Amino acid sequence: MPTPTTDFAIIGGGIVGLATALDLQSRHPNAKIILLEKEPQPAQHQTGHNSGVIHAGVYYAPGSLKAKFCALGVTATNAFCAEHAIPTQTCGKLIVATNADELARMATLESRARTNGIPIERLTAEDAQKLEPNISATGALLSPSTGIVDYAVMARKMADILTSRGGEILFNTRVTGGMETPQGITLHTTNGTLSAGKAVFCAGLHADRVARAFGADIQFRIIPFRGDYFAIKNQPDDLVQHLIYPIPDPERPFLGVHLTRKMNGGFTVGPSAVLAGAREGYGKFSLNAADLASALTYPGFWKLLARNAGSAADELASSLSKQRYLKKVQKYCARITLNDLAPYKSGVRAQAVAPDGKIIDDFLFIDTRHSLHVCNAPSPAATSAIPIAAHIADRLLAAQ
Ligand SMILES: Cc1cc2nc3c(=O)[nH]c(=O)nc-3n(C[C@H](O)[C@H](O)[C@H](O)COP(=O)(O)OP(=O)(O)OC[C@H]3O[C@@H](n4cnc5c(N)ncnc54)[C@H](O)[C@@H]3O)c2cc1C
């Protein structure tokens, strides 16, 4: 039987892969586009296990791809959702300082937001108290353009649009390896072989493995960080009106345990950040020997750990002790008690780490002759998925 062929193959049915497939389809409506996803449905990993925040772009280093794509992504995400009747709420976010040290860091964050051109207001303790009576703060930043959405709903809509316009999605199809040829790229999958003119790999937690399986020269490894959440029960619907975030700790790569409104009502707190025993393991004790070995045999992981030993130990302790986790929330919302914390699904972040142990902070893409690998697309990549897709398509098509 001849090998099936396609113009574009997209690997990964998370929001980045789906947005990329749609962007290519809008530029080349007559091209054949096949998306390959190992799961039976879209959005089964990071896209379906996150905080659901449409980030405004406050935190990101000026000039970085994160800063650029997040700012564009807020508008693009809201426009996509408005066009397709997907509910969103622009509820705004309060980033709260609870002591003098955090107030000083808040000033740095404010100037970063202003450099990034992101709307931001500085609030006194009294202003913050008026806005959110259940929150204690010595000062706060208000980001009015931050919002919420269910990214899994967005991803499913993207999948529907893709197939309704003639694209094809092959679920339950894992890409296992392949090679570039003079004409394009050959992909071996669990359901046979496929030839593509061009391929885009958006494999999230498996980005490094997939890149290596295609011979890409990569220097990083994906380290999976599990984030545990709790749902808040026993509290009124008006507990808070905004999303409530702590001032990020410069020692830690993630944003800290935040109080988030959910699209289907209620609130969650989280996520924590601990090494996950499995790249797609959502339970506290999920273990995959190959995944764990991949982290533990990587010198970059140990260098990262050495550099962040204190915060890693604290995260691990909070993951094992609900009481300790609660303290992080009570710092700004004393009203929440141990009895209010109910189990909620966790997420696992795909974070690229360099051999010297440094977290690769920005989005990272690697091009080969006929393909592009999305190597690092952590938060805010869900917010930024539509502009990331446009960037990918520009690069892929420029290489023709
Ligand atoms: C706890 C947590 C909180 C977050 N909060 C936010 C937030 O509030 N706002 C925000 O903007 N971002 C947030 N993020 C980040 C955001 O969720 C991710 O950046 C985004 O979902 C990445 O999308 P993706 O398509 O690259 O990856 P994924 O959604 O992980 O999709 C990758 C897909 O590739 C498939 N795949 C992998 N290997 C293969 C293979 N060999 N063959 C076929 N298919 C394969 C997987 O099954 C998966 O479906 C958060 C992430 C986490 C984990």
Side-chain angles (χ1 to χ4, degrees), residues 12 14-16 37-38 45-47 50-51 53 175 203 229 377 381 383:
I15 196 163
V16 173
E37 167 55 56
K38 65 182 169 56
H45 295 294
Q46 294 176 93
T47 300
N50 57 43
S51 299
V53 175
V175 173
Y229 293 88
T383 308

Side-chain angles (χ1 to χ4, degrees), residues 11-18 36-39 41-55 151 173-176 202-207 210 225-227 229 245 258 271-272 280 346-350 363 374 377-384:
I11 294 81
I15 196 163
V16 173
L18 284 158
L36 303 113
E37 167 55 56
K38 65 182 169 56
E39 304 293 346
Q41 292 169 49
Q44 294 300 289
H45 295 294
Q46 294 176 93
T47 300
H49 292 83
N50 57 43
S51 299
V53 175
I54 305 173
H55 285 292
Y151 286 111
T173 304
R174 179 191 292 270
V175 173
T176 52
C202 310
L205 286 149
H206 298 284
V210 170
F225 287 96
R226 202 186 63 250
Y229 293 88
Y245 276 63
H258 41 266
S272 54
E280 293 169 355
S346 300
V348 182
R349 308 168 180 86
F363 299 142
V374 178
S379 185
T383 308
S384 316

Side-chain angles (χ1 to χ4, degrees), residues 9-13 17 34-37 175 187 199-204 210 214:
I10 315 296
I11 294 81
I34 299 183
L35 187 145
L36 303 113
E37 167 55 56
V175 173
L187 302 143
V200 184
F201 297 89
C202 310
V210 170
F214 281 81

Side-chain angles (χ1 to χ4, degrees), residues 206-227:
H206 298 284
D208 53 345
R209 287 179 176 153
V210 170
R212 253 183 273 115
F214 281 81
D217 179 22
I218 58 163
Q219 304 298 326
F220 67 91
R221 192 161 297 182
I222 293 291
I223 302 294
F225 287 96
R226 202 186 63 250

Side-chain angles (χ1 to χ4, degrees), residues 83-343:
E83 185 182 350
H84 300 288
I86 296 170
T88 58
Q89 285 174 31
T90 306
C91 46
K93 159 160 89 173
L94 234 55
I95 310 173
V96 297
T98 55
N99 56 41
D101 180 38
E102 288 175 2
L103 265 182
R105 292 198 327 250
M106 188 177 100
T108 313
L109 201 58
E110 181 186 359
S111 71
R112 181 169 272 202
R114 294 199 191 287
T115 310
N116 284 341
I118 307 302
I120 199 87
E121 284 172 45
R122 183 195 288 226
L123 304 184
T124 62
E126 296 72 43
D127 293 340
Q129 179 76 31
K130 267 190 225 142
L131 218 52
E132 291 290 1
N134 291 317
I135 295 299
S136 25
T138 46
L141 295 177
L142 170 64
S143 159
S145 51
T146 299
I148 52 172
V149 69
D150 184 335
Y151 286 111
V153 174
M154 262 183 91
R156 287 196 290 270
K157 174 54 77 178
M158 288 176 171
D160 288 348
I161 300 171
L162 180 70
T163 51
S164 71
R165 294 180 184 162
E168 208 178 323
I169 302 185
L170 304 178
F171 289 114
N172 300 306
T173 304
R174 179 191 292 270
V175 173
T176 52
M179 70 187 91
E180 303 229 357
T181 61
Q183 298 75 33
I185 184 159
T186 302
L187 302 143
H188 302 305
T189 84
T190 45
N191 286 322
T193 297
L194 176 71
S195 283
K198 302 246 173 221
V200 184
F201 297 89
C202 310
L205 286 149
H206 298 284
D208 53 345
R209 287 179 176 153
V210 170
R212 253 183 273 115
F214 281 81
D217 179 22
I218 58 163
Q219 304 298 326
F220 67 91
R221 192 161 297 182
I222 293 291
I223 302 294
F225 287 96
R226 202 186 63 250
D228 295 327
Y229 293 88
F230 289 99
I232 302 289
K233 53 178 188 175
N234 313 323
Q235 292 288 349
D237 285 348
D238 62 353
L239 173 68
V240 288
Q241 305 298 330
H242 300 80
L243 311 179
I244 310 293
Y245 276 63
I247 302 288
D249 182 340
E251 305 269 299
R252 301 181 190 206
F254 305 113
L255 296 181
V257 168
H258 41 266
L259 184 53
T260 312
R261 300 175 65 89
K262 302 313 283 180
M263 282 310 301
N264 51 3
F267 305 95
T268 59
V269 285
S272 54
V274 283
L275 174 69
R279 292 195 183 193
E280 293 169 355
Y282 297 102
K284 262 194 182 45
F285 303 106
S286 302
L287 208 65
N288 174 302
D291 290 350
L292 196 58
S294 163
L296 300 183
T297 58
Y298 181 52
F301 169 71
W302 294 104
K303 289 179 188 159
L304 172 71
L305 193 63
R307 194 174 290 141
N308 298 282
S311 59
D314 174 53
E315 288 286 349
L316 184 61
S318 320
S319 130
L320 298 171
S321 154
K322 208 168 155 183
Q323 185 79 53
R324 208 170 157 138
Y325 193 108
L326 178 69
K327 277 201 181 138
K328 292 181 195 272
V329 187
Q330 284 188 327
K331 224 175 135 191
Y332 54 80
C333 187
R335 220 188 127 127
I336 295 174
T337 68
L338 209 54
N339 281 337
D340 300 341
L341 300 185

